[in-house]
Amino acid sequence: MEVSSRTRNMLEGLVREGSFKWLLGSRSSFDDEFEEMERSPSAGRNWIQELSPLANIVVRRCSKILGISSSELQESFNAEASEAIKHPSRYARNFLEYCCFRTLALSTQVTDHLADKRFRRLTYDVMLAWEVPAASSQPLLNVDGDATVGMEAFSRIAPAVPIIANVVISENLFEVLTSSTGGRLQYSIFNKYITGLERAIKKMKTQSESSILSAIRSSRGEKILEVDGTVTTQPVLEHVGISTWPGRLTLTDHALYFEAHRVVSYEKAKIYDLAEDLKQVVKPELTGPWGTRLFDKAVFYKSVSLSEPIILEFPELKGHTRRDYWLAIIREILYAHRFINKFQITGVQRDEVLSKAVLGILRLQAIQEISTANSVRCESLLMFNLCDQLPGGDLILETLANMSNLRELERTNKSVDGVGMYSISAMAMVSNLGFVFGPSSSNNSIEAGAGLVVGEIAVGEMSPLERTVKESRNSYKKVVQAQETVDGVKVDGIDTNLAVMKELLLPAMEVGRWLLSLAYWDDPLKSSVFCLVFTFIICRGWLGYALALLLIFFAIFMVLTRFLNQGKPVDEVKVIAPPPMNTMEQLLAVQNAISQAEQLIQDGNIFLLKLRGLLLTIFPQASDKFAVGLLLTALILIFVPSKYVVLLMFLEIFTRYSPTRRASTERWMRRLREWWFSIPAAPVILERENEERKKK
């Protein structure tokens, strides 16, 4: 009775003082719930002392939905959770997550739960309570006087409902939703996003239940994910060779279909499979009239099943938003099936993977509907697209595969304990929305999917997937920072880039000049010492140690530079910019560079043709000498130890211009050039493609 009285007094004080006006700025539903709890005879019994007032209100709502009291929920949590999860420092937040996961898993089984305003409010309020879960927590104030949600709370709670978010893309999704609100999520935006999801789901249901490609789709139970090209103002054009056809483009969870327009109907659909491993290549492409590459508005598709690639163009007046969207969703289905094929995922877990891809596309459609900005990167909101781009994305996919295998084993052994400790799975979410993917799902009930395939988040624990995603995101931030520096040092102009390269290669060029000076014996004393030292190193077999010592020197230099320059600004590379050139000078410079490149290519071709002539003995006398030289080289490599071969090569290179050998070297080099110039090149015949073949 003493606890009940103390709790009642605390509730009366909270309501009287208006402690929840920080949440909505005026009287809200929280005030009504506090007054209701005050009048309830079980208020003291159902008040959890470890929780904050807001968390107690949220837990009370959860208990109503689950049909059990808050105290019974707490007893259930204490029985299922480990001691580490029940640690006093984490107890409040972990208990809140437990209630949330159980409640949301039950609520999502209700038809049209996304349309229920109470479901939306509960999901959002759980995020609010997650930020202030304990009785000692301080409420978070907002400059607008309206409660908002941070990224950490959203990334933890939103993936508990897989249609709203998942672990991999939750941070990117949060950044898109809060781009106009300073990094805090308002309920109005969250509510608008859920409304967009609801519309996207209804649209997908309508398309999948329509007669579009029904005969073809029925064999694999394919569901339509997107359709385009049905409106004349937004056509889809298919380019095959020099032919172009407008038509309707349809994406399912297994393939891409294109139906060319007829007068009042469509031709037979062309199937571009995404499920089988056909070495598909899907990438952005440029198109234009008469084969020109002007407009960046198309998608390139190639596979081993096609004789030639196809190009799908998405015309629009400004930008390439349509193309980017279609490229992203096509790749998402393709990458999902690649993941399935690579890790040989079958059965229920295969349907789980497809469900993740489908939910990602639904989320993207909802974002596109509510977003006014055209800068949304579609691939950043799709899980498999993002894993293809993130550093360590392959490790994320491996973790997903390992989790899938573990769940399949648990499903087979019926050994999933404490399902309330996990969030709902993607496949259960899709089933609750009214979709069925593949034959595996059709043979399992919704309850089985929800109970035996657990989600990606566990109460009070960071799952292996969450850890891998966190590490990958940290690596990605470093990559972004490095890329910013790369973009900042890029300069325009061939002459300017050559000047920068010359300055960067200056140390290597100085070392090269020094070695050439030693090789040409400009200073006989230095060259003699250099040859003696390296001859001694090679004879003793210390060449590997010398290389290791050089690497150690570089490592020590880097460490010392780091400590000596700590806190100092980075030394910038100073480059003297070349004088600016007018248009005519630039054209002449380009022409000169092309001429030099052409000369180099011609010299390379002549070398290869002469080498071909030697090998085919077109000039027998030169070929005989060449064959004898190859034979002598082979005998040396066979019978002489490699140490002495290296020594002979070193002495040959670095003593040929010594005072004692200079005259003989020049004489032998002259004879070698004369012998090379005397070798005829192999004949070449250029065949032109005849006109008849070109017309074909």
Side-chain angles (χ1 to χ4, degrees), residues 452-495:
L452 296 176
V453 183
V454 296
E456 299 168 349
I457 303 178
V459 171
E461 298 177 358
M462 181 175 282
S463 67
L465 179 62
E466 290 177 288
R467 282 193 293 270
T468 308
V469 170
K470 185 177 180 180
E471 293 172 1
S472 179
R473 288 196 172 278
N474 291 336
S475 300
Y476 179 70
K477 291 176 183 177
K478 296 177 183 177
V479 171
V480 170
Q481 293 174 354
Q483 190 60 39
E484 288 176 354
T485 63
V486 171
D487 296 336
V489 298
K490 286 182 178 179
V491 293
D492 297 327
I494 297 176
D495 53 343

Side-chain angles (χ1 to χ4, degrees), residues 595-610:
S595 299
Q596 291 179 0
E598 183 182 6
Q599 184 63 42
L600 287 174
I601 294 172
Q602 286 178 349
D603 292 342
N605 288 337
I606 290 170
F607 173 81
L608 294 174
L609 289 171
K610 286 194 173 189

Side-chain angles (χ1 to χ4, degrees), residues 506-680:
L506 186 60
M509 293 168 64
E510 290 295 330
V511 173
R513 291 194 192 101
W514 178 69
L515 291 175
L516 284 175
S517 174
L518 293 174
Y520 280 97
W521 288 70
D522 295 337
D523 188 338
L525 180 60
K526 292 181 180 179
S527 297
S528 299
V529 172
F530 179 79
C531 284
L532 288 174
V533 170
F534 262 84
T535 300
F536 179 75
I537 290 174
I538 294 172
C539 289
R540 295 302 299 263
W542 291 352
L543 198 60
Y545 296 110
L547 180 61
L549 189 63
L550 182 64
L551 297 177
I552 291 172
F553 168 77
F554 280 119
I556 294 174
F557 172 78
M558 293 167 64
V559 173
L560 290 177
T561 303
R562 177 186 176 187
F563 283 104
L564 293 176
N565 293 341
Q566 201 164 21
K568 297 181 180 179
V570 180
D571 293 335
E572 297 177 343
V573 180
K574 296 181 180 179
V575 181
I576 299 176
M581 295 188 296
N582 57 35
T583 306
M584 184 58 67
E585 289 175 333
Q586 290 178 356
L587 291 175
L588 290 175
V590 171
Q591 183 181 8
N592 186 36
I594 293 174
S595 299
Q596 291 179 0
E598 183 182 6
Q599 184 63 42
L600 287 174
I601 294 172
Q602 286 178 349
D603 292 342
N605 288 337
I606 290 170
F607 173 81
L608 294 174
L609 289 171
K610 286 194 173 189
L611 186 61
R612 177 183 174 88
L614 286 174
L615 294 175
L616 299 179
T617 65
I618 295 175
F619 187 52
Q621 187 177 359
S623 297
D624 293 342
K625 293 180 180 180
F626 186 61
V628 171
L630 292 177
L631 181 60
L632 290 175
T633 304
L635 292 175
I636 291 172
L637 292 174
I638 292 172
F639 294 107
V640 179
S642 58
K643 177 173 65 175
Y644 297 109
V645 172
V646 174
L647 178 61
L648 288 173
M649 292 175 62
F650 172 76
L651 291 175
E652 165 59 25
I653 293 172
F654 275 92
T655 63
R656 63 173 57 170
Y657 290 104
S658 63
T660 57
R661 290 192 59 197
R662 182 181 294 271
S664 62
T665 298
E666 291 176 352
R667 186 169 58 254
W668 277 103
M669 293 299 293
R670 182 182 179 88
R671 296 293 174 267
L672 182 62
R673 284 196 300 270
E674 292 173 352
W675 172 77
W676 178 254
F677 291 147
S678 66
I679 300 172

Side-chain angles (χ1 to χ4, degrees), residues 203-204 206-208 210 212-213 217 223-231 234 236 247-252 256-257 259 266 314 322 325-326 329 361 365:
K203 172 187 169 185
M204 190 173 290
T206 302
Q207 290 174 341
S208 294
S210 68
I212 299 176
L213 303 171
R217 294 189 291 117
K223 301 298 179 183
I224 294 178
L225 307 182
E226 188 59 280
V227 178
D228 201 351
T230 57
V231 181
Q234 289 187 326
V236 176
R248 180 173 65 186
L249 186 65
T250 305
L251 176 68
T252 71
L256 194 64
Y257 298 89
E259 304 163 273
Y266 296 95
F314 300 88
R322 284 178 68 207
Y325 168 70
W326 270 94
I329 62 176
I361 293 174
Q365 291 172 349

Side-chain angles (χ1 to χ4, degrees), residues 100 129 148 342 368 510 553:
C100 160
T148 56
K342 178 180 179 180
Q368 285 200 319
E510 290 295 330
F553 168 77

Side-chain angles (χ1 to χ4, degrees), residues 217-287:
R217 294 189 291 117
S218 59
S219 59
R220 291 192 291 190
E222 300 177 40
K223 301 298 179 183
I224 294 178
L225 307 182
E226 188 59 280
V227 178
D228 201 351
T230 57
V231 181
T232 55
T233 56
Q234 289 187 326
V236 176
L237 306 178
E238 183 190 52
H239 302 272
V240 182
I242 60 174
S243 302
T244 302
W245 297 97
R248 180 173 65 186
L249 186 65
T250 305
L251 176 68
T252 71
D253 53 322
H254 283 76
L256 194 64
Y257 298 89
F258 182 81
E259 304 163 273
H261 277 301
R262 284 183 177 175
V263 178
V264 293
S265 62
Y266 296 95
E267 293 185 0
K268 183 179 179 181
K270 298 178 183 178
I271 304 175
Y272 305 117
D273 200 283
L274 302 175
E276 301 297 328
D277 184 10
L278 301 175
K279 310 298 181 186
Q280 295 96 332
V281 176
V282 179
K283 62 180 183 179
E285 185 59 285
L286 301 174
T287 58

